[in-house]
Amino acid sequence: MRPKIIYLFPAISFGGAERINLNFLEHVRRDSFNIQPVVLVRPWEKDNHITKRLVELDYRLLEIPVALTPSQQQKDRFRLLRALRLFLQELLHDSVQLIHSHGYFADFLAFFASCSQKIPCISTCHGFISTDAKLRFYNKVDMLLLNGFDCIIAVSEALRVQLIGHIIHPGRIVTVPNTPAIPSPKPRPAQDRLQHNVLDIVANDILLGYVGRLSEEKGLPILISAFRRVQTLHAHVKLVLVGDGPLRKSLKKMVDELGLADSVIFAGFQESVEPWLYLMDIFVLPSRMEGTPLSLLEAMAVGLPCIATDVGGVSKIMTHEKDGLLIESDSIFALENAIMHLIKQPKLRTELGKNARHTIETKFSIKQWARDIEILYHSIISRHTNH
């Protein structure tokens, strides 16, 4: 009989972590495991991309509301307890052998369900966002809970070191770097871009691009400031930001105040980012913190020359001046110089893009990545059964 595994994760936003979850649920061997996705949702944001995709993949999913109303309308003081009650009810339906959670809210449910039902649990740690006091508090609570998990998957070695620094036993942490789905190679002809009306570009424009959440930890004000300085030297440069998030309004305001409204395109959330990557000339990831960024892996996979800040696990993916350019974080000057360097050297852009594609093809396999997680599943279930 296939072991029943609860796969618990939020669908509150759609970024790298969420794409990773969908990638796993698409590539896990369902003839070996009975995977039950349990998705944490906001009821007023139902019919999101994640739940739609899970239905397409023929999963029977359970949705658990994380709040009754938007927080600005009224406080929902019992949301954790209500979600935990609903989650425990689901566990009583079938014989669950493992819970796999993602994120602090999911970790809370998994930990207390594990304690009450004696079910082993595993958590994937995608990184800790600590941009305000509330998130820092949640992160501290999450760290305490993670000490009670049977295993923690860190998506980068740097994140593993961070977890150990928070007094989590090294023996409980396994590093499994994120892995992209590798698309078939294809050219990026300028004509395709000219037909893409949203961009409003001409043939000799150089298009810089970013894919990801529009949130503070991504360093986007640095990117916009550097872009402004680049534009004073190269008028035929444009920037497209693919994604959505809490900083969208403030970034748009910044762009307007700097007089860049005609040169910066806010593409918004896109269910598929690959077509947008093929429209870009240079990919930029200006993050202040990262694990193993899926957006960078995906950009390298389509053969884009990439500029990324040397944070988290980025240097484990990309080698400076071989398959991309690594720069220090929070530096407008460093980012401006790197962009100008690639604008001036089209042959270098081609070489870095070719090498980036080769790196992904030779070092990353999404099927092997899924197998590595499956091996952890078998190991933890077996260990718990033998006890």
Side-chain angles (χ1 to χ4, degrees):
M1 181 181 292
R2 295 175 301 159
K4 174 74 176 286
I5 296 171
I6 295 290
Y7 196 88
L8 177 64
F9 66 105
I12 294 169
S13 61
F14 191 79
E18 291 72 32
R19 292 206 304 280
I20 283 290
N21 287 330
L22 288 182
N23 281 346
F24 178 73
L25 292 170
E26 187 170 349
H27 290 89
V28 65
R29 289 181 293 189
R30 295 169 69 177
D31 57 345
S32 300
F33 300 94
N34 177 13
I35 304 288
Q36 168 68 71
V38 177
V39 186
L40 304 174
V41 299
R42 294 187 180 114
W44 59 93
E45 294 177 350
K46 297 193 78 168
D47 298 324
N48 59 62
H49 173 67
I50 293 173
T51 56
K52 286 179 181 177
R53 182 61 184 143
L54 290 175
V55 170
E56 290 172 1
L57 293 171
D58 199 29
Y59 275 104
R60 181 186 75 85
L61 67 146
L62 171 69
E63 294 180 309
I64 293 180
V66 297
L68 294 178
T69 60
S71 58
Q72 62 267 28
Q73 293 184 12
Q74 65 181 64
K75 291 289 184 182
D76 188 359
R77 302 183 187 282
F78 300 103
R79 65 192 189 108
L80 281 172
L81 294 177
R82 184 175 55 254
L84 179 59
R85 178 177 59 82
L86 293 172
F87 186 49
L88 290 174
Q89 287 176 354
E90 174 64 20
L91 295 182
L92 295 175
H93 292 165
D94 297 296
S95 177
V96 175
Q97 292 177 266
L98 180 68
I99 303 170
H100 186 177
S101 60
H102 302 256
Y104 66 84
F105 200 113
D107 289 346
F108 172 88
L109 301 184
F111 175 80
F112 285 100
S114 173
C115 291
S116 66
Q117 304 296 315
K118 307 301 180 186
I119 301 171
C121 57
I122 180 173
S123 173
T124 294
C125 185
H126 299 273
F128 296 97
I129 300 172
S130 54
T131 52
D132 59 46
K134 184 167 71 172
L135 286 174
R136 287 192 289 272
F137 171 74
Y138 289 158
N139 289 339
K140 287 181 180 179
V141 173
D142 196 20
M143 288 287 188
L144 292 173
L145 297 180
L146 289 175
N147 275 293
F149 278 63
D150 294 82
C151 179
I152 303 155
I153 297 175
V155 300
S156 71
E157 189 60 27
L159 189 53
R160 180 179 184 273
V161 171
Q162 183 182 355
L163 289 167
I164 294 171
H166 285 83
I167 323 179
I168 294 178
H169 193 281
R172 293 189 177 187
I173 309 170
V174 177
T175 303
V176 183
N178 293 335
T179 298
I182 303 176
S184 300
K186 59 183 179 182
R188 296 193 303 274
Q191 189 61 33
D192 281 1
R193 300 197 315 179
L194 294 177
Q195 294 171 358
H196 214 278
N197 296 330
V198 168
L199 299 181
D200 190 26
I201 61 176
V202 296
N204 62 335
D205 277 342
I206 292 177
L207 185 62
L208 309 179
Y210 162 87
V211 174
R213 272 177 56 77
L214 308 185
S215 50
E216 188 173 338
E217 75 278 5
K218 296 300 184 179
L220 294 170
I222 298 291
L223 173 56
I224 291 171
S225 296
F227 173 73
R228 181 199 186 192
R229 292 164 68 162
V230 168
Q231 256 226 334
T232 62
L233 301 172
H234 273 273
H236 294 294
V237 181
K238 291 194 174 181
L239 171 65
V240 59
L241 305 176
V242 181
D244 208 343
L247 288 192
R248 183 184 178 97
K249 286 185 179 179
S250 62
L251 291 174
K252 273 197 160 188
K253 182 180 179 182
M254 180 181 181
V255 165
D256 291 340
E257 289 176 348
L258 293 175
L260 299 173
D262 293 334
S263 304
V264 179
I265 302 108
F266 287 83
F269 166 75
Q270 301 293 325
E271 290 191 2
S272 176
V273 300
E274 184 184 326
W276 289 85
L277 291 171
Y278 277 112
L279 297 171
M280 299 173 190
D281 295 296
I282 300 169
F283 180 82
V284 184
L285 186 68
S287 300
R288 304 170 66 193
M289 59 182 74
E290 281 291 353
T292 300
L294 182 63
S295 61
L296 176 62
L297 293 167
E298 290 173 333
M300 294 174 68
V302 303
L304 268 175
C306 299
I307 301 168
T309 47
D310 188 0
V311 297
V314 171
S315 63
K316 298 295 183 182
I317 303 171
M318 201 168 72
T319 302
H320 182 56
E321 294 186 338
K322 178 185 176 184
D323 48 17
L325 297 182
L326 287 171
I327 61 170
E328 62 183 291
S329 64
D330 286 319
S331 173
I332 298 172
F333 179 75
L335 184 52
E336 175 196 356
N337 282 351
I339 293 171
M340 289 298 300
H341 187 54
L342 291 186
I343 288 174
K344 292 176 180 178
Q345 300 194 54
K347 289 185 179 179
L348 177 60
R349 296 203 302 269
T350 301
E351 181 183 353
L352 292 178
K354 180 180 177 181
N355 291 345
R357 169 84 186 190
H358 179 73
T359 294
I360 300 300
E361 289 177 332
T362 55
K363 292 185 177 180
F364 295 87
S365 164
I366 198 164
K367 288 185 178 180
Q368 185 56 52
W369 167 76
R371 298 299 86 81
D372 289 343
I373 296 174
E374 291 174 8
I375 290 169
L376 285 175
Y377 285 178
H378 280 303
S379 174
I380 294 168
I381 292 171
S382 176
R383 190 192 318 155
H384 193 266
T385 302
N386 292 336
H387 284 177

